Amino acid sequence: MKRIAVFPGSFDPITTGHMNIIGRALPLFDELIIAIGNNSEKKYFFPMEKRKAWLESLFTKEKKIKVAGYSGLTVKFCGSIKAAYIVRGIRTAADFEFERSIAQMNKAMAPDIETVFILAEPAYSAVASTIVRDIIRNGGDASAFVPPGINLQKA
Ligand code: ADP
């Protein structure tokens, strides 16, 4: 059976930290779906179309990667595309606590789906979309924290 994994997130915007997790998750699976969550309760900085277009442009050449948008429960989305793995990155103890409860709830709802945690490499453990957004809001240059070719100006 094909090993299909979902890497869910807001990717608002995609950062070098996300790229590092994607690169390290890729050899573990046959297919990696980068899934952009659309939570109606959440206000995003960049529109879904933009976040999706960035991801698509970054991975056009990588056959194992697909990009999708989804709303609702991550485990339901996984079920709909037959993905048995959820990939999440862990930077800090706070990430761990947050991710632990989500993963345990997901496991209770969908016992066949495993969450796979990948620890941030030290060089990326401080990189966060939240900080990138703060830099942009305050007129700074955040280009070092996003992959090359991502134009943060055209928000
Ligand atoms: P969410 O809103 O679901 O947290 P994010 O786009 O912020 O979405 O993050 C998606 C995933 O990527 C999460 O598992 C997060 O912990 C992980 N992540 C984000 N930045 C990094 C980083 N610098 N290193 C490792 N993992 C990261």
Side-chain angles (χ1 to χ4, degrees), residues 9-15 18 36-37 42-48 50-52 54-55 128-134 136-137 146 150 152 155:
S10 307
F11 306 103
D12 190 23
I14 174 112
T15 66
H18 293 128
I36 312 169
K42 233 172 164 175
K43 246 190 138 282
Y44 297 100
F45 191 79
F46 292 105
M48 167 65 98
K50 181 134 210 155
R51 289 178 282 141
K52 195 157 184 264
W54 276 331
L55 288 167
S129 298
T130 322
I131 300 173
V132 169
R133 294 196 296 272
D134 274 349
I136 298 167
R137 276 194 203 99
V146 300
I150 299 296
L152 297 169

Short mmCIF file of all heavy atoms in Angstrom, two decimals, residues 9-15 18 36-37 42-48 50-52 54-55 128-134 136-137 146 150 152 155:
data_model
loop_
_atom_site.label_atom_id
_atom_site.label_comp_id
_atom_site.label_asym_id
_atom_site.label_seq_id
_atom_site.Cartn_x
_atom_site.Cartn_y
_atom_site.Cartn_z
N GLY A 9 -1.02 22.58 7.68
CA GLY A 9 -0.57 23.82 8.30
C GLY A 9 -1.25 25.01 7.68
O GLY A 9 -2.06 24.88 6.75
N SER A 10 -0.90 26.18 8.21
CA SER A 10 -1.46 27.41 7.66
C SER A 10 -0.55 27.94 6.54
O SER A 10 -1.02 28.58 5.61
CB SER A 10 -1.58 28.48 8.74
OG SER A 10 -2.30 27.97 9.85
N PHE A 11 0.76 27.73 6.71
CA PHE A 11 1.74 28.19 5.71
C PHE A 11 1.51 29.66 5.36
O PHE A 11 1.43 30.03 4.21
CB PHE A 11 1.70 27.29 4.47
CG PHE A 11 1.88 25.84 4.81
CD1 PHE A 11 0.79 24.97 4.84
CD2 PHE A 11 3.12 25.34 5.17
CE1 PHE A 11 0.94 23.64 5.21
CE2 PHE A 11 3.29 24.01 5.54
CZ PHE A 11 2.19 23.16 5.55
N ASP A 12 1.39 30.47 6.43
CA ASP A 12 0.99 31.88 6.28
C ASP A 12 2.10 32.82 6.71
O ASP A 12 1.93 33.54 7.71
CB ASP A 12 -0.29 32.08 7.12
CG ASP A 12 -0.96 33.40 6.87
OD1 ASP A 12 -0.75 33.97 5.80
OD2 ASP A 12 -1.70 33.86 7.75
N PRO A 13 3.22 32.90 6.04
CA PRO A 13 3.57 32.20 4.80
C PRO A 13 4.43 30.95 5.08
O PRO A 13 4.86 30.72 6.21
CB PRO A 13 4.44 33.25 4.08
CG PRO A 13 5.19 33.91 5.22
CD PRO A 13 4.23 33.92 6.38
N ILE A 14 4.72 30.21 3.99
CA ILE A 14 5.68 29.09 4.06
C ILE A 14 7.05 29.66 4.47
O ILE A 14 7.44 30.74 4.02
CB ILE A 14 5.80 28.36 2.70
CG1 ILE A 14 6.89 27.29 2.71
CG2 ILE A 14 6.04 29.30 1.51
CD1 ILE A 14 6.42 25.91 2.63
N THR A 15 7.74 28.94 5.35
CA THR A 15 9.06 29.40 5.82
C THR A 15 10.13 28.36 5.50
O THR A 15 9.82 27.24 5.10
CB THR A 15 9.05 29.59 7.36
OG1 THR A 15 8.88 28.31 7.97
CG2 THR A 15 7.95 30.53 7.82
N HIS A 18 9.41 25.22 7.48
CA HIS A 18 8.49 24.27 6.82
C HIS A 18 9.25 23.48 5.75
O HIS A 18 9.07 22.27 5.61
CB HIS A 18 7.33 25.00 6.13
CG HIS A 18 6.37 25.69 7.03
ND1 HIS A 18 6.03 27.02 6.87
CD2 HIS A 18 5.65 25.25 8.08
CE1 HIS A 18 5.14 27.36 7.79
NE2 HIS A 18 4.89 26.31 8.53
N ILE A 36 -3.21 22.89 3.09
CA ILE A 36 -3.38 24.22 3.68
C ILE A 36 -4.75 24.28 4.34
O ILE A 36 -5.78 24.19 3.67
CB ILE A 36 -3.27 25.31 2.60
CG1 ILE A 36 -2.02 25.06 1.75
CG2 ILE A 36 -3.23 26.68 3.23
CD1 ILE A 36 -1.98 25.94 0.51
N GLY A 37 -4.72 24.40 5.64
CA GLY A 37 -5.98 24.42 6.40
C GLY A 37 -6.70 25.74 6.21
O GLY A 37 -6.10 26.80 6.16
N LYS A 42 -10.23 31.51 11.86
CA LYS A 42 -8.88 32.08 11.85
C LYS A 42 -8.80 33.18 10.79
O LYS A 42 -9.37 33.02 9.70
CB LYS A 42 -7.89 30.97 11.50
CG LYS A 42 -6.74 30.83 12.48
CD LYS A 42 -5.91 29.60 12.17
CE LYS A 42 -4.57 29.60 12.83
NZ LYS A 42 -3.84 28.36 12.61
N LYS A 43 -8.08 34.25 11.13
CA LYS A 43 -7.86 35.29 10.13
C LYS A 43 -6.45 35.10 9.59
O LYS A 43 -5.49 35.08 10.35
CB LYS A 43 -8.01 36.68 10.77
CG LYS A 43 -9.20 37.42 10.20
CD LYS A 43 -9.25 38.86 10.63
CE LYS A 43 -9.64 39.76 9.50
NZ LYS A 43 -8.68 40.10 8.51
N TYR A 44 -6.32 34.95 8.28
CA TYR A 44 -5.01 34.72 7.69
C TYR A 44 -4.42 36.02 7.17
O TYR A 44 -5.15 36.93 6.79
CB TYR A 44 -5.12 33.67 6.57
CG TYR A 44 -5.58 32.33 7.08
CD1 TYR A 44 -6.90 31.93 6.95
CD2 TYR A 44 -4.69 31.48 7.74
CE1 TYR A 44 -7.34 30.71 7.44
CE2 TYR A 44 -5.11 30.26 8.23
CZ TYR A 44 -6.44 29.88 8.08
OH TYR A 44 -6.86 28.68 8.58
N PHE A 45 -3.11 36.08 7.14
CA PHE A 45 -2.41 37.27 6.66
C PHE A 45 -2.40 37.28 5.13
O PHE A 45 -2.70 38.26 4.49
CB PHE A 45 -0.97 37.26 7.21
CG PHE A 45 -0.21 38.53 7.03
CD1 PHE A 45 -0.43 39.61 7.89
CD2 PHE A 45 0.75 38.65 6.04
CE1 PHE A 45 0.29 40.79 7.74
CE2 PHE A 45 1.48 39.82 5.89
CZ PHE A 45 1.25 40.89 6.74
N PHE A 46 -2.05 36.13 4.55
CA PHE A 46 -2.05 35.98 3.10
C PHE A 46 -3.26 35.13 2.69
O PHE A 46 -3.61 34.16 3.38
CB PHE A 46 -0.77 35.27 2.62
CG PHE A 46 0.47 36.11 2.80
CD1 PHE A 46 1.36 35.83 3.83
CD2 PHE A 46 0.74 37.18 1.95
CE1 PHE A 46 2.51 36.60 4.00
CE2 PHE A 46 1.88 37.95 2.13
CZ PHE A 46 2.76 37.67 3.16
N PRO A 47 -3.92 35.49 1.58
CA PRO A 47 -5.09 34.72 1.16
C PRO A 47 -4.72 33.29 0.76
O PRO A 47 -3.58 33.02 0.37
CB PRO A 47 -5.62 35.49 -0.06
CG PRO A 47 -4.53 36.40 -0.48
CD PRO A 47 -3.62 36.61 0.69
N MET A 48 -5.68 32.41 0.87
CA MET A 48 -5.48 30.99 0.52
C MET A 48 -4.87 30.83 -0.87
O MET A 48 -3.93 30.06 -1.06
CB MET A 48 -6.83 30.26 0.61
CG MET A 48 -6.86 28.90 0.00
SD MET A 48 -5.80 27.72 0.84
CE MET A 48 -6.95 26.88 1.88
N LYS A 50 -2.97 32.70 -2.56
CA LYS A 50 -1.56 33.08 -2.58
C LYS A 50 -0.71 31.98 -1.91
O LYS A 50 0.33 31.57 -2.43
CB LYS A 50 -1.40 34.39 -1.82
CG LYS A 50 -0.01 34.90 -1.79
CD LYS A 50 0.03 36.36 -2.10
CE LYS A 50 1.32 36.68 -2.75
NZ LYS A 50 1.28 37.84 -3.59
N ARG A 51 -1.15 31.51 -0.75
CA ARG A 51 -0.40 30.48 -0.02
C ARG A 51 -0.30 29.21 -0.86
O ARG A 51 0.72 28.54 -0.89
CB ARG A 51 -1.06 30.20 1.33
CG ARG A 51 -0.89 31.36 2.31
CD ARG A 51 -1.59 31.11 3.62
NE ARG A 51 -3.02 31.34 3.54
CZ ARG A 51 -3.95 30.60 4.14
NH1 ARG A 51 -3.62 29.57 4.87
NH2 ARG A 51 -5.22 30.89 4.01
N LYS A 52 -1.40 28.91 -1.57
CA LYS A 52 -1.43 27.70 -2.40
C LYS A 52 -0.50 27.87 -3.61
O LYS A 52 0.26 26.97 -3.96
CB LYS A 52 -2.87 27.45 -2.85
CG LYS A 52 -3.11 26.09 -3.40
CD LYS A 52 -4.60 25.71 -3.29
CE LYS A 52 -4.82 24.30 -3.76
NZ LYS A 52 -5.23 24.20 -5.14
N TRP A 54 2.11 29.73 -3.92
CA TRP A 54 3.53 29.65 -3.49
C TRP A 54 3.97 28.19 -3.38
O TRP A 54 5.01 27.81 -3.90
CB TRP A 54 3.70 30.31 -2.12
CG TRP A 54 3.88 31.79 -2.14
CD1 TRP A 54 4.43 32.54 -3.14
CD2 TRP A 54 3.51 32.71 -1.10
NE1 TRP A 54 4.42 33.87 -2.79
CE2 TRP A 54 3.87 34.00 -1.54
CE3 TRP A 54 2.93 32.57 0.15
CZ2 TRP A 54 3.66 35.14 -0.77
CZ3 TRP A 54 2.72 33.71 0.92
CH2 TRP A 54 3.09 34.97 0.46
N LEU A 55 3.14 27.41 -2.69
CA LEU A 55 3.51 26.00 -2.48
C LEU A 55 3.59 25.27 -3.81
O LEU A 55 4.52 24.49 -4.05
CB LEU A 55 2.50 25.32 -1.54
CG LEU A 55 2.61 25.76 -0.08
CD1 LEU A 55 1.41 25.31 0.73
CD2 LEU A 55 3.88 25.19 0.54
N ALA A 128 9.48 31.07 12.47
CA ALA A 128 8.03 30.88 12.62
C ALA A 128 7.28 31.85 11.70
O ALA A 128 7.70 33.01 11.56
CB ALA A 128 7.63 31.12 14.07
N SER A 129 6.20 31.39 11.14
CA SER A 129 5.38 32.26 10.28
C SER A 129 4.91 33.50 11.05
O SER A 129 4.85 34.59 10.50
CB SER A 129 4.14 31.50 9.77
OG SER A 129 4.51 30.41 8.99
N THR A 130 4.61 33.31 12.33
CA THR A 130 4.14 34.44 13.16
C THR A 130 5.18 35.55 13.17
O THR A 130 4.83 36.73 13.03
CB THR A 130 3.98 33.97 14.64
OG1 THR A 130 3.46 32.66 14.63
CG2 THR A 130 3.12 34.90 15.43
N ILE A 131 6.45 35.18 13.31
CA ILE A 131 7.51 36.19 13.37
C ILE A 131 7.71 36.82 11.99
O ILE A 131 7.88 38.03 11.88
CB ILE A 131 8.81 35.59 13.94
CG1 ILE A 131 8.54 35.07 15.36
CG2 ILE A 131 9.94 36.62 13.95
CD1 ILE A 131 9.66 34.29 15.99
N VAL A 132 7.62 36.00 10.95
CA VAL A 132 7.73 36.52 9.58
C VAL A 132 6.64 37.58 9.36
O VAL A 132 6.89 38.67 8.85
CB VAL A 132 7.64 35.39 8.53
CG1 VAL A 132 7.47 35.95 7.13
CG2 VAL A 132 8.86 34.48 8.61
N ARG A 133 5.43 37.29 9.81
CA ARG A 133 4.33 38.26 9.64
C ARG A 133 4.60 39.54 10.42
O ARG A 133 4.34 40.64 9.92
CB ARG A 133 3.00 37.63 10.09
CG ARG A 133 2.56 36.47 9.22
CD ARG A 133 1.09 36.14 9.46
NE ARG A 133 0.78 35.68 10.79
CZ ARG A 133 0.84 34.40 11.21
NH1 ARG A 133 1.20 33.45 10.37
NH2 ARG A 133 0.50 34.08 12.44
N ASP A 134 5.14 39.41 11.62
CA ASP A 134 5.46 40.59 12.43
C ASP A 134 6.51 41.45 11.73
O ASP A 134 6.41 42.68 11.72
CB ASP A 134 6.00 40.18 13.81
CG ASP A 134 4.89 39.93 14.79
OD1 ASP A 134 3.73 40.29 14.47
OD2 ASP A 134 5.16 39.37 15.87
N ILE A 136 7.05 41.64 8.52
CA ILE A 136 6.42 42.30 7.36
C ILE A 136 5.57 43.48 7.83
O ILE A 136 5.66 44.58 7.28
CB ILE A 136 5.55 41.30 6.57
CG1 ILE A 136 6.41 40.16 6.01
CG2 ILE A 136 4.78 42.01 5.46
CD1 ILE A 136 5.62 38.98 5.48
N ARG A 137 4.77 43.26 8.86
CA ARG A 137 3.90 44.34 9.38
C ARG A 137 4.71 45.57 9.78
O ARG A 137 4.25 46.69 9.68
CB ARG A 137 3.15 43.85 10.63
CG ARG A 137 1.90 43.09 10.30
CD ARG A 137 1.04 42.94 11.56
NE ARG A 137 0.17 41.80 11.39
CZ ARG A 137 0.42 40.59 11.90
NH1 ARG A 137 1.47 40.36 12.64
NH2 ARG A 137 -0.42 39.60 11.69
N VAL A 146 12.09 32.81 4.40
CA VAL A 146 11.18 32.13 3.47
C VAL A 146 12.00 31.58 2.30
O VAL A 146 13.11 32.06 2.05
CB VAL A 146 10.05 33.09 2.97
CG1 VAL A 146 9.22 33.61 4.12
CG2 VAL A 146 10.60 34.23 2.13
N ILE A 150 9.87 33.54 -3.08
CA ILE A 150 8.58 33.90 -2.45
C ILE A 150 8.58 35.42 -2.27
O ILE A 150 9.37 35.95 -1.51
CB ILE A 150 8.41 33.21 -1.07
CG1 ILE A 150 8.43 31.69 -1.22
CG2 ILE A 150 7.17 33.69 -0.35
CD1 ILE A 150 7.29 31.12 -2.03
N LEU A 152 7.10 38.36 -0.76
CA LEU A 152 6.21 38.71 0.35
C LEU A 152 5.58 40.10 0.18
O LEU A 152 4.67 40.46 0.90
CB LEU A 152 6.99 38.67 1.67
CG LEU A 152 7.56 37.30 2.05
CD1 LEU A 152 8.53 37.44 3.21
CD2 LEU A 152 6.44 36.33 2.41
N ALA A 155 1.37 41.23 -0.93
CA ALA A 155 0.35 40.66 -0.04
C ALA A 155 -1.04 41.15 -0.42
O ALA A 155 -1.19 42.23 -0.92
CB ALA A 155 0.66 41.05 1.39
#
